[in-house]
Short mmCIF file of all heavy atoms in Angstrom, two decimals:
data_model
loop_
_atom_site.label_atom_id
_atom_site.label_comp_id
_atom_site.label_asym_id
_atom_site.label_seq_id
_atom_site.Cartn_x
_atom_site.Cartn_y
_atom_site.Cartn_z
N TYR A 1 22.58 100.10 188.48
CA TYR A 1 22.42 98.88 187.68
C TYR A 1 21.00 98.84 187.12
O TYR A 1 20.12 99.62 187.53
CB TYR A 1 22.68 97.64 188.54
CG TYR A 1 24.15 97.35 188.78
CD1 TYR A 1 24.70 97.41 190.07
CD2 TYR A 1 24.99 97.02 187.73
CE1 TYR A 1 26.05 97.15 190.29
CE2 TYR A 1 26.35 96.75 187.94
CZ TYR A 1 26.86 96.82 189.22
OH TYR A 1 28.19 96.56 189.43
N GLY A 2 20.76 97.90 186.22
CA GLY A 2 19.45 97.81 185.57
C GLY A 2 18.41 97.07 186.39
O GLY A 2 17.62 96.28 185.85
N TYR A 3 18.34 97.36 187.68
CA TYR A 3 17.38 96.70 188.57
C TYR A 3 15.93 96.91 188.14
O TYR A 3 15.05 96.09 188.42
CB TYR A 3 17.56 97.23 190.00
CG TYR A 3 17.12 98.67 190.16
CD1 TYR A 3 15.81 98.97 190.49
CD2 TYR A 3 18.01 99.72 189.92
CE1 TYR A 3 15.40 100.29 190.60
CE2 TYR A 3 17.61 101.03 190.01
CZ TYR A 3 16.29 101.32 190.36
OH TYR A 3 15.89 102.62 190.45
N HIS A 4 15.67 98.03 187.46
CA HIS A 4 14.31 98.40 187.06
C HIS A 4 13.84 97.65 185.82
O HIS A 4 12.65 97.63 185.54
CB HIS A 4 14.23 99.89 186.82
CG HIS A 4 15.38 100.43 186.02
ND1 HIS A 4 15.61 100.08 184.71
CD2 HIS A 4 16.39 101.27 186.37
CE1 HIS A 4 16.70 100.69 184.27
NE2 HIS A 4 17.21 101.42 185.26
N GLY A 5 14.78 97.07 185.06
CA GLY A 5 14.39 96.24 183.93
C GLY A 5 14.32 96.94 182.58
O GLY A 5 14.03 96.30 181.57
N TYR A 6 14.59 98.24 182.52
CA TYR A 6 14.41 98.98 181.27
C TYR A 6 15.70 99.11 180.46
O TYR A 6 15.74 99.84 179.48
CB TYR A 6 13.83 100.37 181.57
CG TYR A 6 12.42 100.28 182.10
CD1 TYR A 6 12.16 100.34 183.46
CD2 TYR A 6 11.34 100.10 181.23
CE1 TYR A 6 10.87 100.24 183.96
CE2 TYR A 6 10.05 99.99 181.71
CZ TYR A 6 9.82 100.07 183.07
OH TYR A 6 8.53 99.94 183.56
N TRP A 7 16.77 98.39 180.86
CA TRP A 7 18.05 98.45 180.16
C TRP A 7 18.39 97.08 179.57
O TRP A 7 19.27 96.37 180.04
CB TRP A 7 19.16 98.93 181.10
CG TRP A 7 19.02 100.38 181.49
CD1 TRP A 7 18.19 101.30 180.95
CD2 TRP A 7 19.76 101.05 182.52
NE1 TRP A 7 18.36 102.52 181.57
CE2 TRP A 7 19.31 102.39 182.53
CE3 TRP A 7 20.75 100.65 183.43
CZ2 TRP A 7 19.84 103.34 183.42
CZ3 TRP A 7 21.26 101.58 184.31
CH2 TRP A 7 20.82 102.92 184.31
N ALA A 8 17.69 96.72 178.52
CA ALA A 8 17.82 95.37 177.96
C ALA A 8 19.19 95.12 177.34
O ALA A 8 19.76 95.99 176.67
CB ALA A 8 16.74 95.15 176.90
N LYS A 9 19.70 93.93 177.56
CA LYS A 9 20.88 93.41 176.90
C LYS A 9 20.51 92.29 175.94
O LYS A 9 21.07 92.17 174.86
CB LYS A 9 21.88 92.88 177.93
CG LYS A 9 23.20 92.34 177.35
CD LYS A 9 24.11 91.81 178.45
CE LYS A 9 25.44 91.32 177.89
NZ LYS A 9 26.30 92.48 177.50
N ASP A 10 19.52 91.46 176.36
CA ASP A 10 19.08 90.33 175.54
C ASP A 10 17.60 90.10 175.80
O ASP A 10 17.21 89.65 176.88
CB ASP A 10 19.90 89.08 175.89
CG ASP A 10 19.54 87.88 175.02
OD1 ASP A 10 18.56 87.97 174.25
OD2 ASP A 10 20.23 86.85 175.12
N TRP A 11 16.76 90.42 174.81
CA TRP A 11 15.31 90.29 174.96
C TRP A 11 14.87 88.82 175.04
O TRP A 11 13.74 88.55 175.44
CB TRP A 11 14.60 90.95 173.78
CG TRP A 11 14.37 92.42 173.89
CD1 TRP A 11 13.24 93.04 174.38
CD2 TRP A 11 15.24 93.49 173.49
NE1 TRP A 11 13.37 94.42 174.30
CE2 TRP A 11 14.59 94.71 173.75
CE3 TRP A 11 16.52 93.52 172.93
CZ2 TRP A 11 15.15 95.96 173.48
CZ3 TRP A 11 17.09 94.78 172.66
CH2 TRP A 11 16.43 95.96 172.93
N THR A 12 15.72 87.89 174.67
CA THR A 12 15.31 86.49 174.63
C THR A 12 15.57 85.75 175.93
O THR A 12 15.15 84.60 176.09
CB THR A 12 16.04 85.73 173.49
OG1 THR A 12 17.43 85.60 173.81
CG2 THR A 12 15.89 86.46 172.17
N SER A 13 16.26 86.38 176.86
CA SER A 13 16.60 85.73 178.13
C SER A 13 15.98 86.49 179.30
O SER A 13 15.79 87.71 179.22
CB SER A 13 18.12 85.70 178.34
OG SER A 13 18.77 84.93 177.36
N LEU A 14 15.70 85.78 180.37
CA LEU A 14 15.32 86.44 181.61
C LEU A 14 16.58 86.76 182.41
O LEU A 14 17.55 86.00 182.38
CB LEU A 14 14.40 85.55 182.45
CG LEU A 14 12.89 85.79 182.26
CD1 LEU A 14 12.48 85.54 180.83
CD2 LEU A 14 12.09 84.94 183.22
N ASP A 15 16.54 87.87 183.10
CA ASP A 15 17.68 88.19 183.96
C ASP A 15 17.64 87.29 185.18
O ASP A 15 16.62 87.21 185.87
CB ASP A 15 17.63 89.66 184.40
CG ASP A 15 18.96 90.12 184.94
OD1 ASP A 15 19.33 89.65 186.04
OD2 ASP A 15 19.65 90.92 184.27
N PRO A 16 18.75 86.59 185.48
CA PRO A 16 18.74 85.66 186.62
C PRO A 16 18.47 86.33 187.96
O PRO A 16 18.07 85.65 188.90
CB PRO A 16 20.13 85.02 186.57
CG PRO A 16 20.96 85.92 185.72
CD PRO A 16 20.02 86.55 184.75
N ASN A 17 18.68 87.63 188.05
CA ASN A 17 18.31 88.32 189.29
C ASN A 17 16.80 88.25 189.53
O ASN A 17 16.34 88.24 190.67
CB ASN A 17 18.74 89.78 189.26
CG ASN A 17 20.15 89.98 189.79
OD1 ASN A 17 21.11 89.66 189.10
ND2 ASN A 17 20.27 90.48 190.99
N PHE A 18 16.03 88.18 188.45
CA PHE A 18 14.58 88.09 188.58
C PHE A 18 14.11 86.64 188.65
O PHE A 18 13.07 86.36 189.26
CB PHE A 18 13.90 88.80 187.41
CG PHE A 18 14.30 90.24 187.24
CD1 PHE A 18 14.61 90.75 185.99
CD2 PHE A 18 14.37 91.09 188.33
CE1 PHE A 18 14.99 92.07 185.82
CE2 PHE A 18 14.74 92.42 188.19
CZ PHE A 18 15.06 92.91 186.93
N GLY A 19 14.85 85.74 188.01
CA GLY A 19 14.46 84.34 188.04
C GLY A 19 14.64 83.67 186.70
O GLY A 19 15.32 84.18 185.81
N THR A 20 14.00 82.53 186.55
CA THR A 20 14.13 81.71 185.35
C THR A 20 12.81 81.71 184.57
O THR A 20 11.78 82.16 185.06
CB THR A 20 14.47 80.27 185.73
OG1 THR A 20 13.36 79.71 186.45
CG2 THR A 20 15.72 80.21 186.60
N LYS A 21 12.86 81.12 183.38
CA LYS A 21 11.62 80.99 182.61
C LYS A 21 10.64 80.05 183.31
O LYS A 21 9.42 80.24 183.20
CB LYS A 21 11.94 80.51 181.19
CG LYS A 21 12.60 81.58 180.34
CD LYS A 21 12.69 81.18 178.87
CE LYS A 21 13.23 82.35 178.04
NZ LYS A 21 13.30 82.05 176.59
N ALA A 22 11.17 79.08 184.02
CA ALA A 22 10.28 78.21 184.82
C ALA A 22 9.58 79.02 185.90
O ALA A 22 8.39 78.80 186.19
CB ALA A 22 11.09 77.07 185.43
N ASP A 23 10.30 79.97 186.49
CA ASP A 23 9.68 80.84 187.51
C ASP A 23 8.57 81.68 186.91
O ASP A 23 7.51 81.87 187.52
CB ASP A 23 10.73 81.76 188.13
CG ASP A 23 11.79 81.01 188.92
OD1 ASP A 23 11.51 79.90 189.39
OD2 ASP A 23 12.90 81.57 189.08
N LEU A 24 8.83 82.21 185.70
CA LEU A 24 7.80 83.03 185.04
C LEU A 24 6.58 82.18 184.70
O LEU A 24 5.44 82.61 184.89
CB LEU A 24 8.38 83.66 183.78
CG LEU A 24 7.42 84.54 182.97
CD1 LEU A 24 6.90 85.70 183.81
CD2 LEU A 24 8.10 85.08 181.70
N LYS A 25 6.81 80.99 184.22
CA LYS A 25 5.70 80.09 183.89
C LYS A 25 4.86 79.80 185.14
O LYS A 25 3.62 79.84 185.10
CB LYS A 25 6.24 78.78 183.31
CG LYS A 25 5.19 77.75 182.93
CD LYS A 25 5.85 76.54 182.26
CE LYS A 25 4.81 75.52 181.81
NZ LYS A 25 4.16 74.86 182.96
N ASN A 26 5.52 79.51 186.26
CA ASN A 26 4.81 79.23 187.51
C ASN A 26 4.02 80.45 187.98
O ASN A 26 2.89 80.31 188.47
CB ASN A 26 5.80 78.81 188.60
CG ASN A 26 6.43 77.46 188.32
OD1 ASN A 26 5.87 76.65 187.59
ND2 ASN A 26 7.59 77.22 188.91
#
């Protein structure tokens, strides 16, 4: 699976496995 992050499906969204945009902001 794309656990490493280099297999983009949608550049505008964060993958929920990593978290949310609120998580990135924090």
